[in-house]
Amino acid sequence: MPVLQAYNISHQFDNGDMLFQQLSCSMLKRRVGLVGRNGVGKSILASILCGELEPSSGAVSLPKSFAVYRQQPSHLLSAGLTIGQFLGKAEVLEALKRVESGDCSEHWFDVIGEQWDLSAQLTQQLKQLGLPLDVDFPCAQLSGGQLARLQLWQLFNRDPELLILDEPSNHLDTHAKQWLLEMMQAFHGAILLISHDRVLLREVDEIWELSGLGLHVYGGSYSFYAEQKRTELQALERQLVSVDKQKKQLQVQAQRNREKAEQRAAQGNKLRKEGSHGKSLLDAKKDKATARASNRNKNQQLREAQLDDKAQSLKARKEQLKEQKLYLEDSPSRLRKVVSLLDAVLPFANAKPISMQVYAHDKIHLTGNNGCGKSTLLKTLLGEFSLLRGELQINTSLYYLDQHFGVIRTELSILDNLIQQCKGIKDSDARTLLAGIGFRRDSVFRLGSMLSGGEKMKLAMLIVSHQLDQPLLLLDEPDNHLDLDSKMMLAQALQHYRGGFILVSHDNDFANESGIQRQIALSPN
């Protein structure tokens, strides 16, 4: 029996636009990964599948027990809950405190029941999760990674029949991601994983890909899915070549038919002038020839229309499969030292003193567990924070990009963002550059607030690469909210970037594909 089923579901926005329609799926595997480009509707589909959102049409069949993990835990940030309250253990913990203080009321013993070792258990579990050991610690003061671990731990412990995990590895460091993998492997229920994280996707049994063409099912993990897409793309390219060849053959045959018809018509006119054949006989032959030519033309037009439809369908599928590319300005950087840190002690981070040298061409992967100071180091280089001790020298311009690509001004159009942030660039040149990354004609007037994560990334990287000087890029988890295609496109662009960068990312696949040359690990004291 499928743990989850959907029948012909559609979602239409209030303005009448259709996000997707007539989607059907049946979850027969225990581990299914849902992938697709940003903006295609994965999170909305997940909301429909778990019953949070009614489909515009269609129906969903869910198991009796299920739980959903969301990326933005707003209730934890605003409700003033402590860790103990969020876990639903506050009353038992209070009862234990009362009994320890000498209050022997029967009510407190009833509340505690058999949970006399709850405090010790929670302390041990919180330690394993890398969370504060104080159960009264406010959830609002936890980091993004700590919040994620706390929520995920609670959901796994509820042991539902189905877990729907929407981007669970965002904000998780390498250690926490390994913990998540182990929790997923040990979980007895089914998991629908919405993710762009290839490490997690390699653990699933089946991939569902949502695109503008619908929901496509690939058997196997991410590796199988990627290979199948490559094979399908190659087959599509062969089919397109075949269709193009057939269209050319059709055109050649049509030209031959026209030439033959013209020859027969000229011959008929000659006979008519000579008068050697009767007029009625010639008229009959002409009518037959005209009818045959008309039928040939209709058949040719029908065949051409069929080939055009097939080519259109193949091109649409190819557009969904092909690898996107982003090209950056290819300016060489000189071999010179641009950043120097000597025995540097960061603020707000429990990390050992840092000493490192960065050269203009260096591509560095900055690693370390959550809270070790990676983002703090980048902001210290920017001048937002000051070192507690040590020396810092910077001999270059810096450009900071975070996971939200805050460099994009939301109130400006795409075109104005590029022109105003790249000195000396002309309107015509800006339009040409934007067309190269997919923003053509009137789309350049869309506001920055309307862009998806992938679109912001492409525009931000275009702005970066057209600065007058060659900046050292400070990249603070830029891949965090990108879909798989955008993530691979950014990695390829960074690999070909002739300048240097310091990259913070928990996705080792992405970091390696970005062309990193060395790794610097921040470690605690």
Side-chain angles (χ1 to χ4, degrees):
M1 280 288 293
V3 69
L4 171 69
Q5 284 184 297
Y7 312 91
N8 295 327
I9 58 173
S10 304
H11 180 77
Q12 189 172 27
F13 293 114
D14 292 338
N15 64 2
D17 291 344
M18 190 69 73
L19 180 63
F20 50 72
Q21 55 187 332
Q22 302 293 300
L23 297 185
S24 295
C25 55
S26 184
M27 189 172 171
L28 297 166
K29 304 286 187 179
R30 288 183 61 248
R31 301 288 184 268
V32 172
L34 176 60
V35 302
R37 295 178 182 176
N38 287 339
V40 78
K42 298 185 298 299
S43 292
I44 289 178
L45 175 58
S47 296
I48 292 174
L49 292 177
C50 70
E52 293 177 358
L53 185 67
E54 284 291 324
S56 303
S57 63
V60 175
S61 174
L62 274 164
K64 291 181 180 179
S65 64
F66 63 91
V68 184
Y69 171 81
R70 294 291 186 200
Q71 296 183 56
Q72 302 298 331
S74 55
H75 65 289
L76 289 180
L77 298 174
S78 59
L81 293 175
T82 64
I83 292 176
Q85 289 170 333
F86 172 73
L87 295 174
K89 304 295 184 181
E91 189 178 9
V92 179
L93 292 169
E94 178 63 23
L96 288 169
K97 288 180 181 177
R98 293 296 185 107
V99 171
E100 287 173 4
S101 65
D103 188 340
C104 296
S105 169
E106 186 177 346
H107 169 70
W108 300 125
F109 285 87
D110 290 339
V111 170
I112 294 169
E114 301 297 323
Q115 302 181 72
W116 289 98
D117 59 347
L118 178 63
S119 293
Q121 284 182 358
L122 282 179
T123 299
Q124 181 61 28
Q125 287 166 334
L126 292 172
K127 184 178 181 181
Q128 291 174 352
L129 289 168
L131 298 176
L133 304 185
D134 180 8
V135 291
D136 294 323
F137 192 89
C139 292
Q141 294 181 25
L142 296 173
S143 70
Q146 290 173 325
L147 278 172
R149 292 198 295 277
L150 181 63
Q151 288 183 100
L152 288 165
W153 179 50
Q154 185 207 41
L155 291 177
F156 279 113
N157 283 337
R158 283 166 57 180
D159 202 27
E161 292 178 64
L162 171 66
L163 261 180
I164 298 177
L165 305 178
D166 192 355
E167 296 289 359
S169 63
N170 278 2
H171 308 295
L172 296 187
D173 58 31
T174 304
H175 176 74
K177 193 184 293 187
Q178 182 59 37
W179 167 83
L180 173 58
L181 273 173
E182 292 170 0
M183 292 295 288
M184 288 174 60
Q185 290 163 354
F187 182 63
H188 295 297
I191 294 177
L192 177 60
L193 171 70
I194 305 168
S195 180
H196 305 306
D197 191 318
R198 283 165 284 183
V199 172
L200 299 184
L201 290 171
R202 290 188 184 106
E203 298 297 316
V204 303
D205 306 312
E206 187 172 85
I207 296 281
W208 295 353
E209 182 186 57
L210 182 62
S211 73
L213 301 178
L215 193 66
H216 197 92
V217 177
Y218 294 84
S221 69
Y222 174 79
S223 300
F224 179 83
Y225 157 77
E227 183 58 36
Q228 285 293 101
K229 284 192 71 172
R230 279 192 293 271
T231 302
E232 187 178 351
L233 182 58
Q234 291 168 357
L236 281 170
E237 288 171 344
R238 288 194 296 269
Q239 287 177 280
L240 280 168
V241 170
S242 175
V243 168
D244 188 53
K245 185 177 179 181
Q246 290 177 62
K247 288 172 73 174
K248 287 178 180 177
Q249 288 173 344
L250 199 61
Q251 290 166 0
V252 169
Q253 187 60 48
Q255 180 62 29
R256 287 175 182 167
N257 290 338
R258 282 194 297 271
E259 290 172 355
K260 287 180 180 179
E262 289 170 359
Q263 289 172 1
R264 285 194 293 267
Q267 209 169 28
N269 288 334
K270 182 179 179 183
L271 292 172
R272 192 183 295 272
K273 287 178 182 179
E274 291 174 350
S276 57
H277 288 68
K279 182 176 182 299
S280 59
L281 178 61
L282 291 172
D283 287 344
K285 286 185 176 181
K286 181 180 179 181
D287 290 343
K288 285 184 180 179
T290 302
R292 285 198 300 269
S294 177
N295 285 334
R296 279 197 303 269
N297 288 336
K298 286 180 181 178
N299 289 336
Q300 180 193 342
Q301 290 170 1
L302 179 62
R303 182 60 179 152
E304 283 180 348
Q306 290 173 340
L307 289 173
D308 284 341
D309 288 344
K310 185 174 182 180
Q312 191 77 14
S313 175
L314 291 171
K315 286 176 181 176
R317 182 59 184 155
K318 182 181 177 182
E319 185 63 30
Q320 298 296 329
L321 290 171
K322 74 177 185 180
E323 181 181 290
Q324 300 182 79
K325 293 184 178 180
L326 173 64
Y327 296 100
L328 301 185
E329 187 71 12
D330 194 16
S331 302
S333 60
R334 289 172 292 163
L335 185 61
R336 59 188 175 87
K337 189 186 298 181
V338 293
V339 173
S340 177
L341 280 164
L342 180 62
D343 295 328
V345 177
L346 300 173
F348 320 121
N350 183 27
K352 292 179 179 178
I354 304 165
S355 293
M356 69 178 193
Q357 313 293 323
V358 180
Y359 292 85
H361 69 288
D362 277 351
K363 296 182 176 182
I364 296 170
H365 186 197
L366 189 62
T367 64
N369 293 336
N370 289 335
C372 71
K374 299 184 296 293
S375 295
T376 301
L377 173 57
L378 297 188
K379 291 180 179 178
T380 301
L381 297 180
L382 285 170
E384 293 183 17
F385 301 140
S386 299
L387 292 176
L388 297 180
R389 292 193 308 276
E391 296 180 12
L392 168 61
Q393 291 182 351
I394 297 177
N395 184 33
T396 186
S397 60
L398 303 170
Y399 214 98
Y400 176 78
L401 289 177
D402 63 6
Q403 58 195 277
H404 304 295
F405 298 99
V407 65
I408 305 301
R409 298 176 189 171
T410 56
E411 75 282 4
L412 294 181
S413 69
I414 295 171
L415 181 61
D416 287 340
N417 260 290
L418 183 59
I419 290 174
Q420 291 191 23
Q421 299 195 60
C422 300
K423 291 181 181 179
I425 194 169
K426 296 178 181 178
D427 184 282
S428 58
D429 292 335
R431 283 176 172 272
T432 300
L433 290 171
L434 289 171
I437 59 171
F439 299 117
R440 298 179 176 86
R441 295 183 287 277
D442 288 346
S443 68
V444 301
F445 299 117
R446 289 169 58 200
L447 295 179
S449 58
M450 299 169 62
L451 302 182
S452 69
E455 289 171 329
K456 285 182 179 179
M457 178 274 293
K458 290 193 286 185
L459 179 56
M461 293 304 294
L462 192 64
I463 291 171
V464 167
S465 69
H466 285 81
Q467 298 303 300
L468 290 178
D469 51 3
Q470 185 74 61
L472 178 73
L473 306 184
L474 305 180
L475 306 167
D476 196 354
E477 300 192 61
D479 57 311
N480 219 7
H481 297 291
L482 297 181
D483 58 46
L484 276 169
D485 286 343
S486 297
K487 193 178 276 198
M488 287 188 274
M489 180 178 15
L490 176 56
Q492 186 182 60
L494 291 173
Q495 185 180 48
H496 292 96
Y497 184 54
R498 292 288 293 275
F501 60 75
I502 300 177
L503 169 67
V504 175
S505 174
H506 299 306
D507 187 333
N508 288 327
D509 285 326
F510 169 75
N512 291 329
E513 290 167 5
S514 298
I516 58 166
Q517 298 159 340
R518 61 189 175 110
Q519 188 179 89
I520 295 176
L522 299 188
S523 55
N525 278 318

